[in-house]
Amino acid sequence: MMDKRWNFFEADEETVDSLAAALQVPSYIAKILVNRGITTVDDAKRFLTQDESYGVSPFLMKGIDKAVERIQTAIENGEKIVVYGDYDVDGITATSLMMRVLKELGADVAYFIPNRHTEGYGLNSDSLAELIELHGAKVIVSVDCGITSVSEAETMPSGVDLIITDHHQPLDILPNAYVVINPKQEGCDYPEKMLAGVGVAFKLCQALWQTMRNEELTRYYDLVALGTIADIVPLVGENRAFVQRGLSEMKMCRNKGMYALMQVSQVEPALVTAGHVGFRLAPRLNAAGRLGQAESGVELLLADDDDRCRMIAEELNAENEERQRIEKEILEEAVAVIEEKKLADDHVIVVSGEGWHGGVIGIVASRIVERYYRPTIVITTEDGMGKGSCRSISGFDILDALKAGQDILTKFGGHKQAAGLGIEASKIDEFRIRMNEYAKDYADDDIWRPQVKIDAVVAPTAVDEQLVRSLDMLEPFGMGNPRPLFACESMPIQSLAKIGKD
């Protein structure tokens, strides 16, 4: 802790006092709200209460009208629709959501999830051709992917329409699709820019439901919450509303597959929290796509037979245990390389190994960031080619860093904090040098030291049961709404004792 920067929030006391009085909450709750950027009574009430009416009209999202019209026509004419998803939890839940909604609306619909290891992330030209030729797809709807698939979109034949829904950062050139739905694209007036992929898919589902059923879509928030929490998007605004309603729906156990997943994860449905979803449910669902085919995750969330749900959930649990074993082995190897080559002295750690499992290198990168607090790129190589996963620290945009070396990459894409790349193995050393040259000029020295953000200084006598219970109103905690951290100052150590074998 002494090596970290201690940052005490300095909230305006007048704003804190007025919020506390208006909301009739303790001042430290009001201060936490102000620390999170919530300074008005209306915003605070919306944040603290589960407002069923909260939500933004899906029709504000650019392109959604055109997508709804095309999908409705396909349903009415009996044209084949294929949902093309991604292999992580966000993609799995988005695929499951679209499948359930489209089936209820009467669509002839199927889904496809690419294999992480053989087909890779995003749209795959060979897979698209197969979906069209063998399955007769007339409309392909991507979820949680496709925004960077510029060349792949060009391979779409006449008479087949590609609808892209995604939340990742667009490149300078958008794919030439029938329509692109992404709140981050230029010219989109949708105010909530930080939706997960499943959130964007849900907005399309809402628009379809309103158009074809003339009523609000009030179900499937459990799927939206699961994908939103797993993708670590900020739990504020509409994302927070999704998660609040979704956790309530999870408690009802409407989705039998999700209930089976909670059982093998030892999560009591009545007590499920965002933490349970992020650290117990999501890793097990993610294991399918990391080690094999993610279809089993989708099948679980679409299944309605209790025995089948239990069987799939147990398989996912076993795959997650295997994933943990593989992850531990690779992490030990990577740390050994980092220590031997003194890579921890670099601004950006770039570490590679032959034959490392591509499905877990992202988790390994996260573990290395936790250990060394450096942006980290872990690359696995095979047959002269490398595949990398990147994880970053606060204040360092890893996607911008990759752009500085894009001429030696075969592909790349992602977010500020997490990204992926492809590279020739022979260019990894050059890439490491390029990343560190970029990082030297990128920011001041402070960002290389981890920061502890302290919400308030409290007296020891203030730490009581009432304080602990009052914090429940700030749930769910996550990205954008971290669990509050308090500090007590000038505390003398009265005793010191070793506990445990280490």
Side-chain angles (χ1 to χ4, degrees):
M1 287 289 270
M2 301 311 294
D3 292 332
K4 299 178 181 179
R5 290 177 291 142
W6 285 43
N7 182 1
F8 293 84
F9 280 105
E10 297 293 339
D12 180 71
E13 293 301 325
E14 188 174 327
T15 304
V16 171
D17 291 343
S18 63
L19 265 188
L23 300 171
Q24 295 185 315
V25 298
S27 61
Y28 51 79
I29 294 294
K31 183 171 185 181
I32 292 168
L33 291 173
V34 173
N35 293 346
R36 306 291 183 270
I38 301 164
T39 57
T40 69
V41 174
D42 286 345
D43 286 346
K45 284 181 177 178
R46 187 178 294 118
F47 186 88
L48 294 175
T49 60
Q50 186 174 321
D51 186 352
E52 294 289 332
S53 66
Y54 180 79
V56 183
S57 169
F59 295 100
L60 290 176
M61 198 169 287
K62 183 178 180 180
I64 214 161
D65 285 314
K66 188 176 180 181
V68 167
E69 182 180 0
R70 181 64 186 93
I71 293 171
Q72 184 175 6
T73 299
I75 293 173
E76 291 171 351
N77 294 340
E79 295 177 287
K80 187 75 173 186
I81 301 173
V82 175
V83 180
Y84 192 117
D86 186 28
Y87 39 67
D88 66 1
V89 180
D90 192 12
I92 289 170
T93 52
T95 302
S96 305
L97 169 71
M98 289 296 301
M99 286 293 296
R100 284 190 173 272
V101 170
L102 289 174
K103 278 187 176 181
E104 283 198 56
L105 292 174
D108 178 8
V109 61
Y111 74 89
F112 175 79
I113 304 282
N115 184 294
R116 179 191 292 262
H117 311 297
T118 59
E119 291 155 312
Y121 171 76
L123 302 180
N124 179 282
S125 297
D126 292 338
S127 300
L128 289 171
E130 186 173 330
L131 292 174
I132 295 165
E133 183 178 352
L134 299 183
H135 300 283
K138 293 297 183 184
V139 177
I140 296 176
V141 182
S142 80
V143 290
D144 190 36
C145 64
I147 196 65
T148 61
S149 301
V150 177
S151 60
E152 290 79 4
E154 293 293 340
T155 67
M156 298 295 291
S158 175
V160 181
D161 293 319
L162 173 63
I163 297 172
I164 291 176
T165 77
D166 201 351
H167 72 122
H168 294 95
Q169 189 65 42
L171 301 177
D172 294 336
I173 301 174
L174 291 179
N176 185 24
Y178 180 81
V179 64
V180 173
I181 300 172
N182 184 328
K184 293 175 182 171
Q185 69 176 304
E186 188 175 342
C188 183
D189 295 329
Y190 198 78
E192 300 280 351
K193 302 296 185 184
M194 299 305 293
L195 297 179
V198 70
V200 177
F202 187 64
K203 300 313 291 188
L204 176 56
C205 289
Q206 283 183 319
L208 278 165
W209 202 268
Q210 289 176 29
T211 301
M212 299 185 69
R213 291 287 178 90
N214 197 29
E215 61 185 18
E216 297 292 326
L217 180 60
T218 58
R219 286 170 291 145
Y220 304 126
Y221 282 95
D222 50 356
L223 292 172
V224 182
L226 176 50
T228 296
I229 294 168
D231 216 53
I232 321 180
V233 293
L235 297 189
V236 296
E238 196 166 27
N239 285 337
R240 180 175 172 82
F242 285 159
V243 171
Q244 285 177 321
R245 293 186 68 171
L247 290 173
S248 296
E249 198 167 329
M250 284 183 200
K251 291 177 170 66
M252 301 176 192
C253 302
R254 288 176 176 171
N255 188 299
K256 292 185 177 182
M258 202 176 299
Y259 174 61
L261 194 63
M262 283 191 269
Q263 285 182 308
V264 298
S265 305
Q266 298 182 323
V267 173
E268 178 63 42
L271 303 176
V272 65
T273 66
H276 291 135
V277 173
F279 294 104
R280 295 195 194 179
L281 305 188
R284 287 167 170 82
L285 201 57
N286 230 344
R290 290 192 182 281
L291 300 188
Q293 284 285 9
E295 278 95 339
S296 55
V298 179
E299 289 301 306
L300 176 68
L301 297 176
L302 293 180
D304 289 316
D305 178 78
D306 291 333
D307 290 338
R308 177 158 175 74
C309 288
R310 182 72 185 182
M311 180 188 72
I312 299 173
E314 288 176 349
E315 288 174 356
L316 290 175
N317 192 53
E319 286 185 349
N320 187 56
E321 291 176 354
E322 175 67 4
R323 186 270 304 167
Q324 290 173 324
R325 183 191 66 77
I326 295 171
E327 173 199 326
K328 182 180 177 183
E329 288 181 358
I330 296 174
L331 178 61
E332 289 175 352
E333 291 180 30
V335 168
V337 173
I338 291 168
E339 295 296 332
E340 179 186 348
K341 296 185 176 180
K342 302 188 185 309
L343 299 180
D345 295 336
D346 291 348
H347 285 302
V348 179
I349 294 175
V350 179
V351 60
S352 63
E354 179 78 20
W356 286 348
H357 198 298
V360 301
I361 56 175
I363 307 176
V364 172
S366 295
R367 299 285 182 262
I368 294 172
V369 172
E370 291 170 5
R371 182 180 294 228
Y372 296 106
Y373 202 72
R374 287 288 183 272
T376 299
I377 301 171
V378 177
I379 302 173
T380 177
T381 60
E382 186 175 356
D383 298 329
M385 296 302 296
K387 171 188 173 185
S389 276
C390 320
R391 297 295 183 270
S392 196
I393 61 175
S394 178
F396 188 89
D397 188 331
I398 195 71
L399 191 59
D400 269 354
L402 294 183
K403 290 176 182 176
Q406 61 183 313
D407 58 303
I408 58 173
L409 299 176
T410 58
K411 61 180 179 178
F412 72 98
H415 305 288
K416 291 181 178 180
Q417 296 296 299
L421 61 86
I423 188 172
E424 293 178 18
S426 60
K427 296 182 179 179
I428 292 175
D429 288 338
E430 180 186 351
F431 176 66
R432 179 184 295 114
I433 294 169
R434 188 85 65 87
M435 288 298 96
N436 279 281
E437 285 177 348
Y438 172 84
K440 272 189 233 176
D441 303 326
Y442 183 82
D444 59 70
D445 290 339
D446 268 351
I447 76 159
W448 309 113
R449 292 176 58 210
Q451 185 176 178
V452 179
K453 295 183 178 180
I454 296 171
D455 282 285
V457 175
V458 297
T461 52
V463 182
D464 55 17
E465 187 176 355
Q466 180 186 359
L467 182 148
V468 174
R469 290 189 180 279
S470 65
L471 295 179
D472 289 344
M473 68 178 71
L474 299 172
E475 289 268 15
F477 297 121
M479 181 74 171
N481 180 36
R483 191 174 295 276
L485 184 64
F486 300 105
C488 296
E489 293 184 318
S490 303
M491 298 284 285
I493 296 173
Q494 295 189 341
S495 64
L496 184 67
K498 290 183 179 180
I499 299 175
K501 65 177 183 178
D502 297 322

